[in-house]
Amino acid sequence: MHEKTDLLILKNILQKFLKQNQKNMKPIIEGNKIIYEGSEDCPAILMDIDGGRLIIEGASFPEDAVVVYEPVIKWLIENENKFEELEVIFDYSILSSASNKMVFEIILKLEKLTLKGKNISIKWFYATYDEDMFDEGRGFKETLKIKMDLISKN
């Protein structure tokens, strides 16, 4: 009986920690670079308008994926007239279904930017042994009409 209670208490503490960790996601701003440091459940994100780069890497299974990815979509919308070329790198170790939906929204926005004449280069990195992550990238590539390179890391 005590084991179940202890397990529930531990689970509640962990959920509160993860939720608080997400709420504390504050960007580091260096000139025209916006950086979100990654955590155990949230990817690191670099949005660099001057360098023409958007990099998202690490684990992505946050409590609220919208909180994590909404700044990226907002950045793309606010800066679409400030770049002609953009290199986008996705390099996930794990991707939850909620994160997958948000990544789809980002790639959909990128696809719309290509229709406006922007040169968008997307690279989807995956570990050679990680068929699931390869399949995620391939699914995006086949569903959307945007060029995407699937690149094995090993």
Side-chain angles (χ1 to χ4, degrees), residues 23 84 103:
K23 288 179 182 175
E84 291 304 314
V103 171

Side-chain angles (χ1 to χ4, degrees), residues 10 69 73 110 145:
L10 186 60
Y69 289 99
I73 295 170
L110 294 168
K145 296 174 181 83

Side-chain angles (χ1 to χ4, degrees), residues 23 27 36 39 41 58 64 69 94 97 103-104 108 133-134 149 152:
K23 288 179 182 175
Y36 288 88
S39 66
D41 62 337
D64 186 351
Y69 289 99
I94 189 168
S97 58
V103 171
F104 179 84
L108 188 60
M133 203 54 59
F134 172 77
D149 295 324
S152 173

Side-chain angles (χ1 to χ4, degrees), residues 6-145:
D6 291 345
L7 190 58
L8 285 174
I9 291 170
L10 186 60
K11 182 179 177 183
N12 287 334
I13 291 170
L14 181 60
Q15 286 177 341
K16 286 178 185 177
F17 170 77
L18 292 174
K19 198 173 262 190
Q20 187 64 33
N21 194 25
Q22 265 181 238
K23 288 179 182 175
N24 290 334
M25 281 187 58
K26 300 274 190 258
I28 299 167
I29 300 174
E30 297 176 358
N32 285 330
K33 290 182 189 175
I34 301 171
I35 303 164
Y36 288 88
E37 293 182 342
S39 66
E40 289 181 10
D41 62 337
C42 296
I45 302 171
L46 168 67
M47 297 175 276
D48 179 5
I49 200 68
D50 292 337
R53 298 179 299 162
L54 169 60
I55 301 171
I56 305 174
E57 62 183 1
S60 186
F61 57 97
E63 183 80 20
D64 186 351
V66 174
V67 170
V68 174
Y69 289 99
E70 197 168 69
V72 176
I73 295 170
K74 184 178 177 186
W75 180 80
L76 287 169
I77 292 167
E78 290 176 353
N79 292 289
E80 71 178 74
N81 294 322
K82 296 180 183 173
F83 64 84
E84 291 304 314
E85 294 185 2
L86 185 67
E87 178 184 36
V88 181
I89 295 174
F90 295 103
D91 187 357
Y92 291 106
S93 57
I94 189 168
L95 188 65
S96 70
S97 58
S99 295
N100 182 301
K101 289 176 186 175
M102 294 306 297
V103 171
F104 179 84
E105 292 299 320
I106 291 168
I107 297 173
L108 188 60
K109 176 63 182 162
L110 294 168
E111 181 181 65
K112 289 176 183 176
L113 290 173
T114 62
L115 296 175
K116 292 181 177 182
K118 304 293 183 182
N119 184 13
I120 309 290
S121 164
I122 301 177
K123 296 177 181 169
W124 184 275
F125 286 89
Y126 64 94
T128 303
Y129 60 83
D130 193 345
E131 290 181 30
D132 291 336
M133 203 54 59
F134 172 77
D135 288 342
E136 296 281 357
R138 185 176 62 189
F140 289 130
K141 183 176 181 172
E142 292 174 354
T143 303
L144 299 167
K145 296 174 181 83

